[in-house]
Amino acid sequence: MFDFSWYQTLNQPPLAPPAELFSPVWIVMYILIALAFIFYITKFTFNNKILGYILFFTQLLVNFAWTPAFFGAKNILLALIILIVLDILVLLTIIEFTKVSKLAGRLLIPYFIWIIFATYLNIGILFLN
């Protein structure tokens, strides 16, 4: 379905980790994302959570759009645009989640750092290839 071997042929920017690292890191990220959501939805509050739900599910859909853009279409520029949108959405999600549960917001910080790093890698790949 996706040509992951194509990634190995690309010139990589400095600090690019080995391809084998991505799967374990994403497993941890998705666990943290799920835990953040659980803490968010189970926290009793009188705050309106609608915006948090919208941001959470939107960022998740945008996250899932990156792989088909990068590995499926091999469109590095589109993948970068998706990542920039994802960076903004995750930051907004952290802000909204923190209003309801500080723990939920904090659990998303490693994810935010990882996608900022992914944005750096995507920019590097775009300019080097």
Side-chain angles (χ1 to χ4, degrees), residues 12-75:
Q12 300 291 323
L15 305 177
E20 303 81 36
L21 183 67
F22 289 102
S23 290
V25 169
W26 274 111
I27 290 168
V28 171
M29 292 304 130
Y30 285 125
I31 290 169
L32 293 174
I33 292 166
L35 288 172
F37 186 68
I38 289 167
F39 282 109
Y40 182 75
I41 65 172
T42 59
K43 180 79 173 189
F44 177 77
T45 179
F46 291 106
N47 293 356
N48 186 343
K49 294 183 185 178
I50 301 291
L51 181 57
Y53 289 127
I54 291 169
L55 288 167
F56 179 81
F57 287 110
T58 303
Q59 69 80 25
L60 209 53
L61 288 172
V62 171
N63 177 322
F64 294 153
W66 184 85
T67 300
F70 191 87
F71 289 106
K74 297 179 182 168
N75 189 329

Side-chain angles (χ1 to χ4, degrees), residues 76-127:
I76 300 169
L77 179 59
L78 176 60
L80 176 60
I81 293 166
I82 289 169
L83 273 175
I84 292 168
V85 171
L86 182 61
D87 294 339
I88 294 165
L89 287 169
V90 171
L91 180 59
L92 293 173
T93 304
I94 290 170
I95 291 167
E96 282 303 308
F97 273 34
T98 301
K99 291 177 184 176
V100 171
S101 166
K102 286 185 174 60
L103 180 56
R106 289 180 181 144
L107 285 168
L108 291 175
I109 292 172
Y111 171 44
F112 182 65
I113 293 167
W114 181 250
I115 62 170
I116 292 292
F117 181 62
T119 303
Y120 154 77
L121 292 174
N122 204 135
I123 291 168
I125 291 169
L126 180 65
F127 284 106

